[in-house]
Amino acid sequence: MRIKVNDLSFSYGQKTILNHLSFSINTGDFLTITGKNGSGKSTFIKCLLKLHKIPNGMIYMDDVDINEIKKYHNIGYVPQKAEFNYEFPITVKEILSTAYQQRTYDQFYKSIVSSLNLNKFYNENINNLSGGQLQRLFIARALLIKPRLLILDEPTVGIDQENVNNLYQILKQLKNEKITIILITHDQEFAKDLYDHLLHLDEDTNYTFTTIGDDKNV
Amino acid sequence: MFNQNFLVFLGFFQDLIKYKNIYVYPIIVGVIIGCLAPLIGSVIVIRRLSFIADTLSHFSLAGVCFGVLLAHQLADTVFENTISPIALGIVFSVIGTLLIEKLRSFYKNYKELSMPIVMSFGAALSGIFIALSGDSSSNITSSLLFGSISIVELKDFIVILVMSLIIIIFIVIFYKKIITLCFDETFAKVSGINVKLLQLLITIILAVFISISMEIVGVLLISSLMIVPVASSILVGKSFKNTCIISVIFSEVSILLGIYFSYTLSVPTGSLIVIFNIVILLFIMIYRNLIKCFKKKNTKQLDYSITIDPNTINENVDEVTEINEEDKEIVKEENLENKE
Ligand SMILES: Nc1ncnc2c1ncn2[C@@H]1O[C@H](COP(=O)(O)OP(=O)(O)O)[C@@H](O)[C@H]1O
Ligand SMILES: [Mg+2]
């Protein structure tokens, strides 16, 4: 999915978070966004996903203004903090099988479940899961919709090393399949060899956008 | 004492056979409603829609009263038997849904203002229609408010069957999307579900269901019919499916007991159904507390050197590595107990 950000500004009330942000990425590109806490990384994603309202002409997906898009298709989103309804009993299996719109339990489904090591607590109520286990569940759920665009907001937080490695392998595979990926991370080392673009946000609303390959050897 | 009860019981079944349509229709309708109510109720609980349910039931009441009025006006004409109050109730509650949506768009910050407006509008219309129909016997009013089993007629029965079928088909087709939307609206939105449309469909289904269950349980008690069994089942349910099945069982038990005792005691059906539902809820709460006490006692008797809150342990099962081997055993035991 091509994404073009054209002079995007966003503020919460008086507080400006994003200021004249412009860049663009192509289908199959891997964009990593870094920056300190509160620099506006999650806010940018929320603008992109229309969870915050922005004026026309600021973000385009495949050359269409996002405000013109009636509904999004196949965007896999793993939020930093999922606004999930935890009170009602539901199991890992039930969340995954209802997110998956095809016939469940085929090869693809099984491979996702096992690649994130969800088998051990597959039939558990989600209230019994640890933070890292939940995070892996939400990553799996996003992968199950076969995303054209995958957005991961600090996915490695709370996950043990083994599963971070698994996630890296999954991202590598998805990149080979030309899936567009946006990764927000604090972990500068994570998936370092995968990204094509790096967007760094400052607290004082400055930013730098670099494309690897242009200056990888600088 | 026992004999008398038994005779009443026998009488109930004799009447059942004798006046088939008077009792069989309500029982069939009761069983269908008993199954659908908690299923729709789960969605209402998760999406926090109970206020909408109340609003729509009042607006639907206006439709039913309009039907009663029409039937009265058209008495002794060719159209005499064509009016089904329930069908009109369905039409009205769908109109109510659209009205709420329309009103919401007028206010940015007071969106819920649309509900009391539509609700009072419905109640006001109902009053007028009942008065105009001239047949403002307290009988009709009381059955509409608290429910009655004796007012289900053949044409209403058919409307109820058809509508229930439509609701069931809707649930079967959309259940994956409904569950995804219920639990995580953001995810539903970006992954390709038309949230607005699905939300509207859910509300319309809710409106239809409210209308068909109104005659049995009454306007005032419809939302509790949907919500109380779910409130009980989420305290004991292990999974979504399991919770739904348990709530359907609770709901069916209450409805069948409610219909039976409503017959024998001549008390409004809806009131009894809700009372039974609440009794079940109380039992569940007591049961939960007993289990908690029992666990605490058990822990004390065995005199563990550390106190472990089973809830937090369950969350962090992976991370209890620092605790020594002996304590690990305890953790395992506690977890097993929890699962039971
Ligand atoms: N809904 C909100 N209302 C007001 N301020 C917010 C809201 N969400 C985030 N902020 C503020 O905006 C800034 C950027 O937040 P965020 O985008 O979440 O940062 P990051 O994801 O880079 O850590 C923070 O200072 C935060 O306090
Ligand atoms: Mg963030």
Side-chain angles (χ1 to χ4, degrees):
Chain A
M1 187 183 293
R2 280 193 308 279
I3 296 173
K4 185 174 160 212
V5 178
N6 181 23
D7 202 24
L8 167 68
S9 298
F10 184 85
S11 29
Y12 293 110
Q14 296 293 315
K15 194 172 167 193
T16 301
I17 308 294
L18 303 170
N19 202 7
H20 301 294
L21 183 64
S22 295
F23 66 88
S24 61
I25 63 172
N26 265 320
T27 308
D29 281 359
F30 192 122
L31 167 68
T32 294
I33 305 179
T34 57
K36 289 203 174 125
N37 286 334
S39 57
K41 304 183 295 296
S42 301
T43 302
F44 167 68
I45 295 301
K46 285 177 183 161
C47 292
L48 183 67
L49 292 175
K50 293 204 286 189
L51 302 175
H52 290 327
K53 230 178 146 53
I54 55 165
N56 286 355
M58 287 187 171
I59 303 180
Y60 296 85
M61 280 189 187
D62 288 335
D63 302 321
V64 183
D65 189 319
I66 56 165
N67 286 340
E68 308 283 307
I69 300 175
K70 256 208 171 136
K71 87 177 165 89
Y72 281 139
H73 285 281
N74 297 74
I75 298 183
Y77 174 42
V78 181
Q80 187 167 10
K81 198 161 173 257
E83 279 162 25
F84 199 84
N85 227 315
Y86 291 101
E87 220 156 306
F88 206 97
I90 190 164
T91 62
V92 171
K93 172 184 167 183
E94 286 169 326
I95 291 174
L96 292 178
S97 58
T98 51
Y100 192 47
Q101 295 296 334
Q102 274 90 9
R103 209 176 59 81
T104 10
Y105 315 129
D106 60 5
Q107 202 49 48
F108 175 73
Y109 181 89
K110 280 181 191 156
S111 70
I112 300 264
V113 170
S114 61
S115 66
L116 284 156
N117 282 324
L118 302 177
N119 305 73
K120 242 187 261 165
F121 47 88
Y122 187 58
N123 285 309
E124 280 286 322
N125 187 321
I126 57 159
N127 281 311
N128 299 344
L129 304 190
S130 72
Q133 291 172 326
L134 269 180
Q135 184 75 335
R136 276 146 59 199
L137 163 63
F138 291 140
I139 294 172
R141 183 179 62 157
L143 295 175
L144 276 177
I145 64 162
K146 303 194 172 159
R148 289 191 304 147
L149 168 65
L150 179 66
I151 300 174
L152 303 164
D153 196 343
E154 314 218 9
T156 54
V157 172
I159 300 189
D160 54 75
Q161 195 53 46
E162 184 198 336
N163 283 301
V164 168
N165 292 341
N166 291 342
L167 178 61
Y168 170 77
Q169 292 303 332
I170 292 169
L171 291 181
K172 199 168 175 179
Q173 165 105 30
L174 289 175
K175 191 180 167 173
N176 283 336
E177 292 167 15
K178 292 268 175 279
I179 310 288
T180 313
I181 298 171
I182 299 180
L183 168 74
I184 293 180
T185 183
H186 261 117
D187 184 355
Q188 301 279 352
E189 296 306 307
F190 178 65
K192 210 173 178 182
D193 57 325
L194 293 182
Y195 61 75
D196 305 301
H197 310 280
L198 179 68
L199 175 67
H200 181 81
L201 298 177
D202 260 344
E203 296 113 292
D204 44 3
T205 70
N206 292 326
Y207 73 93
T208 51
F209 181 78
T210 40
T211 296
I212 313 301
D214 291 354
D215 57 359
K216 201 162 198 171
N217 304 320
V218 174
Chain B
M1 187 64 200
F2 170 80
N3 267 339
Q4 225 170 14
N5 274 343
F6 188 70
L7 282 181
V8 171
F9 190 71
L10 260 188
F12 177 67
F13 279 99
Q14 270 172 356
D15 284 356
L16 230 166
I17 293 158
K18 216 155 136 199
Y19 310 102
K20 240 185 255 150
N21 46 346
I22 301 184
Y23 296 109
V24 170
Y25 294 162
I27 289 177
I28 295 177
V29 170
V31 169
I32 294 173
I33 287 176
C35 173
L36 290 179
L39 297 183
I40 297 176
S42 310
V43 175
I44 293 178
V45 169
I46 303 175
R47 302 278 298 158
R48 300 190 162 80
L49 293 176
S50 49
F51 202 28
I52 285 200
D54 273 331
T55 306
L56 290 180
S57 63
H58 282 73
F59 209 74
S60 168
L61 175 68
V64 173
C65 293
F66 188 57
V68 172
L69 170 63
L70 269 189
H72 211 78
Q73 298 289 328
L74 297 177
D76 307 324
T77 70
V78 243
F79 299 109
E80 181 165 7
N81 279 316
T82 55
I83 303 295
S84 157
I86 291 194
L88 276 167
I90 294 173
V91 172
F92 266 62
S93 58
V94 172
I95 293 174
T97 310
L98 303 176
L99 214 57
I100 293 174
E101 284 303 312
K102 191 75 214 149
L103 281 176
R104 280 167 83 90
S105 61
F106 279 95
Y107 302 98
K108 221 182 196 164
N109 291 320
Y110 303 119
K111 286 197 186 300
E112 70 286 355
L113 206 58
S114 57
M115 311 256 198
I117 294 174
V118 174
M119 186 193 252
S120 51
F121 186 36
L125 285 179
S126 313
I128 292 175
F129 291 146
I130 289 180
L132 285 182
S133 75
D135 149 56
S136 60
S137 57
S138 60
N139 224 343
I140 283 197
T141 325
S142 146
S143 13
L144 285 175
L145 293 184
F146 300 104
S148 157
I149 53 165
S150 52
I151 51 174
V152 180
E153 292 178 32
L154 181 62
K155 53 183 189 270
D156 289 338
F157 181 64
I158 292 170
V159 171
I160 292 176
L161 284 191
V162 171
M163 287 303 157
S164 309
L165 199 67
I166 292 176
I167 295 179
I168 290 168
I169 291 172
F170 173 81
I171 294 178
V172 168
I173 293 179
F174 289 109
Y175 85 97
K176 281 189 173 184
K177 289 187 173 165
I178 296 173
I179 295 177
T180 304
L181 170 64
C182 281
F183 279 91
D184 196 337
E185 186 170 338
T186 307
F187 179 79
K189 224 181 243 168
V190 300
S191 68
I193 293 174
N194 193 333
V195 170
K196 270 198 183 139
L197 182 64
L198 189 60
Q199 177 72 50
L200 184 67
L201 285 176
I202 290 175
T203 321
I204 288 176
I205 288 294
L206 172 63
V208 170
F209 176 77
I210 284 170
S211 312
I212 64 175
S213 51
M214 179 140 76
E215 301 216 333
I216 292 258
V217 279
V219 202
L220 296 181
L221 302 174
I222 284 177
S223 51
S224 40
L225 176 80
M226 294 188 275
I227 287 161
V228 184
V230 179
S232 309
S233 65
I234 54 177
L235 293 180
V236 286
K238 300 275 180 269
S239 66
F240 188 77
K241 195 171 149 198
N242 174 262
T243 308
C244 286
I245 293 172
I246 294 173
S247 64
V248 169
I249 293 172
F250 288 163
S251 159
E252 291 289 3
V253 168
S254 319
I255 284 203
L256 291 177
L257 286 176
I259 289 179
Y260 174 72
F261 282 103
S262 152
Y263 165 85
T264 53
L265 305 175
S266 302
V267 173
T269 327
S271 306
L272 281 174
I273 293 172
V274 171
I275 297 285
F276 280 118
N277 264 321
I278 289 178
V279 168
I280 291 176
L281 177 62
L282 281 178
F283 270 117
I284 297 283
M285 285 171 165
I286 292 169
Y287 166 81
R288 282 263 304 215
N289 269 346
L290 280 182
I291 283 192
K292 243 188 218 162
C293 291
F294 180 74
K295 259 185 198 150
K296 257 186 205 157
K297 228 180 182 177
N298 235 3
T299 324
K300 265 186 198 147
Q301 272 169 4
L302 294 170
D303 191 32
Y304 293 149
S305 48
I306 50 168
T307 44
I308 302 162
D309 178 4
N311 289 325
T312 54
I313 292 299
N314 253 350
E315 275 166 27
N316 306 317
V317 154
D318 282 355
E319 287 133 40
V320 256
T321 38
E322 312 93 311
I323 308 175
N324 62 38
E325 284 308 309
E326 198 188 318
D327 289 336
K328 254 193 197 160
E329 289 300 317
I330 300 168
V331 172
K332 269 185 200 147
E333 272 175 43
E334 294 247 11
N335 278 330
L336 280 180
E337 269 171 28
N338 262 4
K339 265 166 204 150
E340 280 157 17

